Amino acid sequence: MTLPLSNYSHILYQIFEFTQNLKLSQKKLYWSLVFLFTFSWFIADFSWLIYDEILSINPINIAGINIIYTLPNVFLAILITVYYINNFKKWNKYQLILDNIVIDSILLILIWTFMFSQNGITFHTNFDYLNTLIYLFIDFYILSGIATMIMSFNLKRLEKYIFVVLFGALIFVFTDFHYAYLYFNDLYVANTMIDGVYSIPNVLFAIGAILAQPVRMPKDEFEEEMLPENYRKTRYLNVLLLVFLVLYIIKSYSLEILFASTCIILIHQFFTAIIQDAIRREFLLKKEVQMNEQLENEIKERTEELICANKALVEISNKDALTGLYNRRYLIDYLDSLILNKPNNSFALLYMDLDRFKSINDTYGHPIGDKMLNILSKRFIDNCQPNCTIFRVGGDEFVLLIEKQVNQSYIYKIVHKILDLMQQPIFIEPYVFRTGVSIGIALFPQDAEDRDLLMKYADIAMYEAKVNCRDSHYMFFHSSISQKIQRQHEIELLLKNVDYTNEFLLYYQPQYRSSDHSLVGVEALLRWKHPEQGMIPPLEFIPIAEEIGVIQQIGKWVIGEAFSQIKKWNEAYHLNLKIGINVSPIQMEDIHFLTWFQEKLANDQINPNWIDLEITEGTTMNATVSTEELFDKFSNLGVTISIDDFGTGYSSLSYIKKFHINTLKIAKELIDNIAEDHNTLLIVRAIVMMAKGMQLKTIAEGVEEIKQIEILSKIGCDEIQGYYFGKPLPAEELEKEHIIKNINNEIL
Ligand code: C2E
Ligand code: CA
């Protein structure tokens, strides 16, 4: 035992320190076993030293020392076993078993040949013999383990220190074999070179510990990761064939042994071929599974992307591009889900239509119309309650759904909020618009349990609100309006195909001065004589014409007729009669109307003093700055402007003062009660007096009785129009009944 103890301590320290610093892992276990190997060897050497040097007893005969010397072998064997167990999964077990059998058989042959067969060793049965045999077998196990490992390792992956450690282990095992050979042949002499060689493995282990740095394993390629570590490594065994041959040539091997060894290798190669094929197939299968997984993942990713894109598409297809509100398509889906999924639910459907939007669109152009819709939509969105959903279902049509809290008072509250929002001025440079909205309300399930019917009823109620409820602007659906609406739809259709020259005609109602009962003018009143329907009253079709946007065309036709008629009468009878022409607010809003009117006056050579434009009170109320200017411009043409139906609306006289107006036509509703109701008389008198103060002319409408004429004359009303003097008549009749009679002073 020649290795100095100080060197041992150094080696032990190196291995121990390295092991100590390792994290708890397989590697730590391996290195702990290496440490135990060296440590037990140290204890054995140390004990030897004490017996040999201090006690002067030959330690070779001490059984305990021999047992201690067996410990390193045991630890190395454990190391190999642990390594096997840990890596078993990485190896292909069939190939491993086959390799092991082959290696073991070859080793057995080699060891037998060299150590026992040629030397005629006789076995003793004493303990030392047995002990030496035991560790010889352990060595045999270690050697075959190392050989299998080398064959199975992927050498490219192997770190340097493992080579060093394996090399150390090999030296140890071969030294042991040599020792066993010496021992069995009684050739062993203590403290000879062989004892020095024994310390080499310990030194190599220490070097291994120094070299072993915690290096991360390089990332393997896909294939290497999946293939077992001992795949295709068995070809190294073929080298043995060469070794056998050399041994045979140098006469160390007999022909039989060469034959047996070669057979073993060939059998090994045969089974290897089968196993390798199986490995390859298994690998391909795994690869396929992995690729399938990869493919599945990719498909999953694509599907998710597609779902996302689809969601975005659905969102886009459910929304209106201009306003960002939900569209009609979504309304239908939404209604269906409400009706089908929650049949016990109740909700209100509010169908809303902007008033006169079409004419604004036609007059000011689509960009302005679009801006207006955007502004109004934003108002809707900003003020939408959480239980309400707003949809844009057509050009200027919106639907509001009220869910959950569907009682009358709540609906009223929402409706008034909407009306308020819609009536606020809309600023689109350089214009200021005022629009209104008509709202039809249908309730689920009270009014209808079917989606289409519910929408239809809300639409009908809206239509009714637009045409017949100009003050309140909203209407709850009830069955009685359904018939009425059907009639209105019918008229709408008839109006779109009306033959102007053959179906339209003007009636004229005379207007008399109250002081001397002389004829001062006529009011042109449109009549529609439909070939099948007969007479359709203007109060029925004019609001519809306004709504569907044909009023401009009708208005122009009326103006043309009225112009030629008044020209004809005034020129024929040398009169200066005025003709009152009703002008719808929608006509006034048309920016081209003024120019057209001016040109028409000039072309038809009409004296503007003959023309009086009758405009309803509502027009002036909703008037914007541009309407005020418009009134001025018409007045500048020389025509006069009358406010129709004055007193029924809400315009104050001071408000009227802002506009260039000539006449107030006092509404029939006031005149009707003037003789019976004192208060009405006071109102009418106040109107007349204030009009006089503002230099405005007054004309009373719907005068039917002499009593009314007397009162009106007394309070100073300038002119009278009504059945008392005459109903509206066709041109020839009016001419005969009023113009000619008036010329002849035949009137009352
Ligand atoms: P309005 O401008 O207020 O016309 C007066 C209406 O009262 C006329 O009804 C006339 O026939 C009726 N009337 C006149 N005196 C009496 C009376 O003593 N007793 C009774 N019960 N009724 C009287 P009409 O012709 O049915 O016209 C209704 C409305 O239709 C008009 O009201 C006017 O606003 C509109 N309208 C008529 N022609 C036109 C037109 O050419 N263009 C436009 N935009 N509107 C028109
Ligand atoms: Ca009128």
Side-chain angles (χ1 to χ4, degrees), residues 523 525 582 614 644 665 701:
E523 181 182 356
L525 293 159
N582 291 288
E614 294 187 12
D644 215 351
K665 292 194 80 177
E701 283 189 286

Side-chain angles (χ1 to χ4, degrees), residues 290-433:
Q290 213 171 61
M291 280 172 82
N292 271 349
E293 267 172 24
Q294 216 171 324
L295 207 72
E296 262 173 36
N297 280 343
E298 259 170 46
I299 290 171
K300 215 172 123 187
E301 267 173 38
R302 290 283 165 285
T303 316
E304 272 163 17
E305 273 171 28
L306 223 67
I307 289 170
C308 274
N310 234 19
K311 262 191 195 164
L313 213 72
V314 168
E315 184 75 4
I316 290 168
S317 66
N318 283 341
K319 288 215 168 156
D320 165 50
L322 179 68
T323 60
L325 296 179
Y326 290 119
N327 56 19
R328 189 180 199 96
R329 177 213 301 259
Y330 187 61
L331 170 70
I332 287 169
D333 291 349
Y334 196 86
L335 281 175
D336 284 347
S337 73
L338 277 185
I339 295 169
L340 294 173
N341 299 343
K342 299 164 201 159
N344 299 329
N345 250 357
S346 61
F347 61 88
L349 193 151
L350 277 65
Y351 212 104
M352 301 180 280
D353 187 288
L354 300 181
D355 296 335
R356 303 193 305 273
F357 177 75
K358 193 180 179 304
S359 78
I360 291 172
N361 222 3
D362 291 349
T363 310
Y364 295 88
H366 286 264
I368 296 277
D370 286 354
K371 276 187 189 162
M372 194 162 170
L373 287 172
N374 265 322
I375 292 170
L376 295 177
S377 300
K378 200 172 174 308
R379 282 186 198 170
F380 274 134
I381 294 168
D382 291 347
N383 293 280
C384 206
Q385 298 298 313
N387 61 332
C388 298
T389 319
I390 180 89
F391 304 82
R392 182 183 173 214
V393 292
D396 62 343
E397 290 168 19
F398 299 85
V399 161
L400 185 86
L401 284 185
I402 308 175
E403 290 171 67
K404 293 180 189 117
Q405 204 181 335
V406 196
N407 54 60
Q408 288 267 345
S409 64
Y410 185 73
I411 296 172
Y412 278 126
K413 213 176 106 189
I414 297 273
V415 163
H416 283 108
K417 176 89 187 158
I418 295 168
L419 291 174
D420 187 43
L421 283 175
M422 294 297 114
Q423 273 163 8
Q424 285 167 22
I426 300 159
F427 299 95
I428 303 169
E429 284 291 323
Y431 311 106
V432 184
F433 295 99

Side-chain angles (χ1 to χ4, degrees), residues 506-507 509 523-527 537-543 546 551 554-555 558-559 581-585 587 614 616 644-645 665 668 672 701-705 708 721-728:
L506 287 186
Y507 273 34
Q509 187 175 29
E523 181 182 356
L525 293 159
L526 181 60
R527 295 291 175 264
L539 280 175
E540 196 174 3
F541 73 83
I542 298 269
E546 284 176 344
I551 193 68
I554 294 175
V558 169
I559 288 167
I581 304 170
N582 291 288
V583 178
S584 158
Q587 273 172 279
E614 294 187 12
T616 46
D644 215 351
D645 297 326
K665 292 194 80 177
K668 181 176 178 295
D672 281 345
E701 283 189 286
V703 182
E704 294 178 345
E705 296 163 13
Q708 292 166 334
Q721 179 183 344
Y723 288 179
Y724 181 80
F725 280 112
K727 287 187 173 178

Side-chain angles (χ1 to χ4, degrees), residues 19 32 45 207 241 279 383 443 461 473 486 496 502 515 541 551 562 584 667 705 736:
T19 313
S32 303
D45 263 10
I207 293 169
L241 288 173
I279 293 172
N383 293 280
L443 304 174
H473 303 282
Q486 258 171 355
K496 281 177 183 161
N502 291 320
S515 54
F541 73 83
I551 193 68
S584 158
E705 296 163 13
K736 212 166 72 191

